[in-house]
C-alpha cells in the first residue's frame, strides 16, 4: 500500500433537483465538471463544485464562453479578489489580467510554478477563461499533495519546519522593477481548508534561490531534487485548451506550467485570482 489514492473515474453528485457531473481527468489530478452553466449555478451546485475542487485540485468547465462580467461574477463566489499591481489589467475590471502571447523569450510562466510565491500571502485560487486559443499552448498542472506524500518518511521529517526564500526575479525583469520582491515560506504547507500537506517549492535559482539559513550552493541539490520530484508525469494533467473553457486551480496544492509551442500565434486568456493566506 502506498499513501496515494486513485481518484474515482466518474461520480455524479445529486443535489436537490440539479446534477453536477464530476469526471476525473487523470488518476492523480483534475476533474471535468459538466451539466452546469457557470452563469447560473445554485448554492447546492456550488457546494458540489467546491467539494470536487478540494478533491481534484483543479477543475475544467468546457463550453462556457463567459463574458468578462460573468467570469468575474463566478470567481467572486470563491473569496476576495487578488489584485496584481505589477501587471496591466483590463480598464473597467481591475481584477482581470489579460494573458497574451509576449513571445517565448518573455514567457515567464513556461516553468513549473505556484503563482506569486514572492508575496507574503500568495493567491489561493486562479481562474482562467479561454478566449482565443491557438493550436498548442497547453497548460499542465501537478498535484503537490502527492509530491509531498510520495517523499520518504526520512525526507519528510527533514523538511518539517524548513523554510525557503521565494523571489519574483523573472517578473521583476519583465516589468523593469529595481527591487526583486522576495519572501520566506515553509517548503511544506498545510492547506487551510483540506488540512492536507503539500510540497511548496519553485524553480531552483531564480524562483527559489536557497533554504533559509543556507547558501544557494548548499541548497541547490536538494531544491533540484524536490523540483524534479514535484512534476513527475504520474502526478500531472495536461490541458488542451478550447475557446470557451473556464479552468480553475488551487494555488495551495498545485503547480502549473504553460507550454509555449505556438510561436507568434495569438493566444488570449483572462485571469482572475482570489487572495490567499500566508502559507503555514
Ligand atoms: O498561460 C497559461 O496557460 C497559464 C499562465 C500562468 O501561469 C498563470 O496564469 O498563472
Ligand atoms: Fe502561473
Amino acid at each position: 500500500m502506498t499513501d496515494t489514492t486513485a481518484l474515482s473515474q466518474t461520480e455524479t453528485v445529486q443535489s436537490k433537483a440539479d446534477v453536477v457531473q464530476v469526471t476525473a481527468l487523470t488518476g492523480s489530478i483534475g476533474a471535468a465538471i459538466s451539466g452546469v452553466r457557470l452563469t447560473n449555478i445554485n448554492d447546492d451546485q456550488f457546494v458540489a463544485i467546491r467539494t470536487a475542487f478540494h478533491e481534484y485540485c483543479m477543475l475544467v468547465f468546457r463550453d462556457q464562453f463567459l463574458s468578462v462580467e460573468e467570469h468575474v461574477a463566478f470567481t467572486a463566489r470563491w473569496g476576495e479578489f487578488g489584485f496584481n499591481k505589477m501587471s496591466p489589467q483590463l480598464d473597467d475590471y481591475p481584477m482581470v489580467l489579460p494573458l497574451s502571447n509576449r513571445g517565448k523569450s518573455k514567457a515567464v510562466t513556461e516553468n513549473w510554478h505556484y503563482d506569486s510565491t514572492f508575496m507574503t500571502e500568495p493567491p489561493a485560487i486562479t481562474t482562467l477563461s479561454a478566449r482565443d486559443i491557438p493550436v498548442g499552448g497547453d497548460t499542465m498542472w501537478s498535484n503537490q499533495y502527492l509530491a509531498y506524500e510520495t517523499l520518504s518518511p526520512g525526507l519528510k521529517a527533514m523538511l518539517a519546519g524548513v523554510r525557503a526564500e521565494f523571489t519574483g526575479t523573472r517578473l521583476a525583469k519583465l516589468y523593469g522593477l529595481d527591487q526583486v520582491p522576495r519572501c520566506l515560506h515553509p517548503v511544506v504547507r498545510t492547506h487551510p481548508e483540506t488540512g492536507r500537506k503539500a510540497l511548496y517549492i519553485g524553480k531552483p535559482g531564480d524562483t527559489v534561490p536557497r533554504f533559509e539559513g543556507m547558501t544557494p550552493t548548499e541548497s541547490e541539490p536538494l531544491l533540484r531534487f524536490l523540483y524534479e520530484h514535484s512534476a513527475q508525469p504520474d502526478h500531472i494533467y495536461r490541458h488542451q485548451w478550447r475557446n470557451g473553457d473556464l479552468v480553475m486551480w488551487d494555488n495551495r496544492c498545485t503547480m502549473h506550467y504553460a507550454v509555449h509551442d505556438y510561436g507568434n500565434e495569438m493566444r488570449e486568456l483572462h485571469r482572475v485570482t482570489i487572495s490567499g493566506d500566508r502559507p503555514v
Side-chain angles (χ1 to χ4, degrees):
M1 275 288 280
T2 67
D3 52 358
T4 63
T5 346
L7 299 175
S8 54
Q9 279 307 301
T10 306
E11 17 177 313
T12 299
V13 182
Q14 187 88 41
S15 53
K16 297 213 175 117
D18 299 294
V19 172
V20 172
Q21 189 164 46
V22 181
T23 306
L25 291 166
T26 70
S28 55
I29 182 170
I33 307 286
S34 48
V36 281
R37 277 292 301 147
L38 293 182
T39 50
N40 186 26
I41 43 174
N42 63 34
D43 290 345
D44 293 329
Q45 289 174 315
F46 183 74
V47 169
I49 293 170
R50 196 175 54 203
T51 303
F53 185 59
H54 287 150
E55 184 177 357
Y56 294 92
C57 307
M58 60 85 57
L59 299 177
V60 173
F61 303 85
R62 293 286 196 187
D63 301 316
Q64 296 294 323
F65 294 95
L66 300 182
S67 68
V68 178
E69 232 166 283
E70 290 164 346
H71 177 198
V72 168
F74 171 69
T75 308
R77 296 189 75 143
W78 297 85
E80 305 276 313
F81 293 124
F83 291 92
N84 190 326
K85 293 186 196 79
M86 279 192 227
S87 339
Q89 288 118 23
L90 285 190
D91 284 346
D92 295 335
Y93 298 94
M95 70 297 281
V96 179
L97 173 68
L99 302 180
S100 54
N101 187 2
R102 293 192 188 98
K104 193 172 174 75
S105 64
K106 291 190 180 155
V108 292
T109 55
E110 198 180 26
N111 59 82
W112 285 105
H113 64 281
Y114 280 98
D115 285 332
S116 309
T117 46
F118 51 82
M119 290 169 65
T120 322
E121 297 176 347
I125 295 173
T126 306
T127 67
L128 284 187
S129 173
R131 302 174 69 86
D132 193 351
I133 295 298
V135 175
D138 297 354
T139 308
M140 303 188 283
W141 282 267
S142 59
N143 184 329
Q144 296 309 300
Y145 292 137
L146 295 182
Y148 175 71
E149 288 162 10
T150 52
L151 294 173
S152 65
L155 188 46
K156 283 181 189 157
M158 220 174 105
L159 293 177
V162 171
R163 297 198 299 176
E165 185 175 55
F166 291 76
T167 69
T169 311
R170 279 188 305 275
L171 278 186
K173 205 192 262 176
L174 186 69
Y175 295 115
L177 307 181
D178 326 325
Q179 268 211 324
V180 174
R182 57 188 71 234
C183 195
L184 287 167
H185 292 303
V187 298
V188 176
R189 70 175 290 186
T190 303
H191 193 290
E193 289 170 75
T194 66
R196 288 176 76 184
K197 287 182 180 170
L199 188 60
Y200 198 65
I201 51 156
K203 190 171 183 208
D206 53 4
T207 303
V208 181
R210 61 184 188 92
F211 292 111
E212 184 179 25
M214 289 173 62
T215 66
T217 311
E218 289 167 337
S219 308
E220 217 254 1
L222 182 53
L223 285 174
R224 189 151 296 287
F225 165 78
L226 292 172
Y227 192 62
E228 279 167 19
H229 176 79
S230 71
Q232 311 177 32
D234 58 345
H235 295 167
I236 288 170
Y237 166 65
R238 178 167 175 150
H239 185 63
Q240 291 189 285
W241 292 96
R242 295 201 311 241
N243 291 351
D245 288 351
L246 187 290
V247 169
M248 62 185 296
W249 69 89
D250 194 325
N251 197 46
R252 300 159 293 189
C253 56
T254 65
M255 293 215 274
H256 56 283
Y257 184 122
V259 175
H260 200 299
D261 60 352
Y262 47 97
N264 295 320
E265 293 299 307
M266 177 83 143
R267 180 178 187 270
E268 196 186 315
L269 303 99
H270 280 179
R271 178 181 193 273
V272 180
T273 60
I274 292 297
S275 63
D277 303 327
R278 185 171 195 153
V280 288

